[in-house]
Amino acid sequence: MIVVLKNNSNPEKVDNLVKWLESRNIRVHIFKGVFETVFGLIGDTSGIDIQLLEGLDVVKSVKRISEPFKNANRQFHPDDSVLNVSGVEVGGDFCVIAGPCSVESQEQIIDIAKKVKAAGATFLRGGAFKPRTSPYDFQGLQDVGISLLLEAKKQTGLPIVTEIMNANHIPMFEQVDIIQVGARNMQNFELLKELGRTNKTILLKRGLANTIKEFLMSAEYIMAGGNENIILCERGIRTFEQQTRNTLDISAVPVLKELSHLPVVVDPSHACGVARYVKPMSLAAAAAGAHGVMIEVHNDPTHALCDGAQSLTPEQFLDVKQAVDKVLSALRN
Ligand code: PEP
Ligand code: MN
């Protein structure tokens, strides 16, 4: 971090600033130029509040040189992170997470699980706790939903992905293979900290209106607690566009892969909100270098209790999976 001081600053105040920085384990290199004095701060500056520094009498400007996310940063971990999630690789092989928006009944989840498995899915998704905009909408089967997912896992062997909304529920997710943190909770820092204390794999979705840097800082919250098993999920961001539910930021894939070593997957279903756009966006995700996709699939989309409009039938899902495989093999050749 570079701190440029104002000309003719009070030497006592400058001295106090150096002492304060040193008390935070930062080494201060002082460069006295003809016109300006500049501090080069060396050490872990992630805990230094830029705004606070900028507000000081003696400070003219502050510039961060290294990113405040250390654990998630590719600079310190040049190789891609490859996670082994219940025997399935994420970050190496392309993974396909498929299943309904929400778990609705035993018949529904088992039927879908068998069909997506037959079509080549590597994980089964299904919401048990649903973050709905309206409190009057279906809120999910909650603990019963998790038991049904576990039953589907038992019958198909597919590891499961399901969303957590409350840190107090962590014990309920003991046997869940991947815990999803949804877009609305991307900055629920207390939840992120608690998940950082577990060793569960976390699928962290980008917030509705969050920047890539904010997204990586949320991953950093989990990693700072010691849990490095994180999958980043781009699921579209809110823009002025109304034709799609969100706008899929496909450029987030190469940007995230450049900045971070964590696996990156794309959720075209929530990004578009329209089933017929899921295939082209899945192909785009594969072509852009994503490590996987997460796709909503329902055995009866028109009667789905949540997100029917964006859900594919198992047949449509098979078609998407086969098309994605073609893109992947074209990229390999
Ligand atoms: C979901 O995956 O079911 C979900 C609610 O997604 P998001 O948090 O991205 O809206
Ligand atoms: Mn959904």
Side-chain angles (χ1 to χ4, degrees), residues 101 270 296 307 310:
C101 182
H270 290 88
E296 285 191 343
D307 286 349
Q310 67 194 34

Side-chain angles (χ1 to χ4, degrees), residues 106 110 146-156:
Q106 171 142 358
I110 304 280
I146 293 186
S147 317
L148 295 178
L149 282 165
L150 291 171
E151 179 56 31
K153 174 182 173 180
K154 204 162 111 192
Q155 293 199 26
T156 59

